[in-house]
């Protein structure tokens, strides 16, 4: 049986904090997305693209730092933060019944880096992935390769172009 890998959005408690003050200590500044400045960008709260007219905020997020606080790890110098789009107000999160076994923001041809981290929050490897068509196979293979290493606790998927964090996948349990 093939493990199921789950793309995890930013958790609701972290989102509530980020909507007030982001991980760089700045106050969130909500705005209404337009076609020109935000529509189509990935929302990390519900793992779907921004639609024009939605109230969003661009905030600084430190995913490894937040994971480390939850697990007691100490990522040291591997801690980093970067920009992510979120809804300015609480949202429902990802669809309750998404298409089975899919990954968000998986446009064939786009480049992603998959960074592997151990239980201490240290980078233990990575991989560049050009998203194939169909995308699910490529991601499944990349996650299977990552978690074949017993040291890997989680994988961060990031856009190569901007380095933005897209989502996290934890070791299947």
């Amino acid at each position: 049986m093939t493990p199921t890998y789950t793309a995890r959005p930013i958790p609701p408690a972290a989102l509530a904090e980020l909507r007030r003050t982001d991980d760089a200590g700045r106050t969130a500044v909500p705005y209404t997305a337009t076609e020109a400045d935000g529509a189509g960008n990935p929302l990390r709260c519900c793992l779907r693209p921004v639609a024009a007219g939605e109230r969003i905020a661009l905030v600084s997020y430190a995913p490894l730092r937040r994971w480390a606080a939850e697990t007691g790890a100490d990522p040291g110098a591997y801690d980093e933060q970067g920009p992510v789009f979120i809804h300015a107000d609480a949202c429902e999160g990802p669809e309750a019944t998404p298409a089975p076994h899919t990954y968000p923001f998986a446009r064939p041809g786009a480049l992603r880096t998959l960074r592997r981290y151990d239980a201490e929050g240290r980078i233990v490897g990575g991989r560049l992935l050009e998203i194939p068509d169909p995308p699910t196979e490529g991601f499944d293979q990349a996650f299977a390769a990552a978690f074949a290493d017993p040291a890997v606790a989680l994988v961060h998927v990031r856009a190569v172009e901007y380095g933005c964090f897209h989502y996290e996948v934890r070791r299947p349990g």
Side-chain angles (χ1 to χ4, degrees):
M1 182 170 135
T2 304
T4 299
Y5 304 104
T6 303
R8 298 168 61 100
I10 297 174
L15 289 165
E17 292 171 7
L18 293 169
R19 288 182 177 112
R20 290 186 302 274
T21 305
D22 72 11
D23 287 344
R26 289 186 294 271
T27 301
V29 179
Y31 67 97
T32 301
T34 66
E35 290 295 332
D37 71 355
N41 285 319
L43 287 162
R44 283 33 166 247
C45 50
C46 54
L47 300 180
R48 68 165 178 76
V50 172
E54 289 187 289
R55 297 274 303 148
I56 61 173
L58 181 61
V59 298
S60 186
Y61 178 57
L64 195 59
R65 182 184 316 160
R66 297 234 177 212
W67 172 81
E70 175 186 319
T71 64
D74 179 12
Y78 294 106
D79 179 33
E80 60 183 307
Q81 62 192 33
V84 295
F85 289 97
I86 62 173
H87 277 115
D89 299 303
C91 71
E92 297 295 317
E95 288 182 37
T97 54
H101 204 60
T102 60
Y103 300 103
F105 323 124
R107 180 179 41 81
L111 298 174
R112 299 290 180 261
T113 184
L114 282 68
R115 291 190 191 155
R116 303 169 184 181
Y117 295 92
D118 68 12
E120 292 303 313
R122 306 294 196 272
I123 292 177
V124 292
R127 175 177 176 184
L128 177 65
L129 175 68
E130 180 175 349
I131 301 175
D133 192 6
T136 300
E137 270 182 41
F139 276 108
D140 282 347
Q141 290 171 3
F143 291 132
F147 292 116
D149 178 347
V152 175
L154 72 155
V155 175
H156 284 179
V157 176
R158 292 177 174 268
V160 170
E161 301 89 342
Y162 300 102
C164 298
F165 172 82
H166 276 224
Y167 57 88
E168 172 182 290
V169 174
R170 294 187 181 180
R171 176 174 289 284

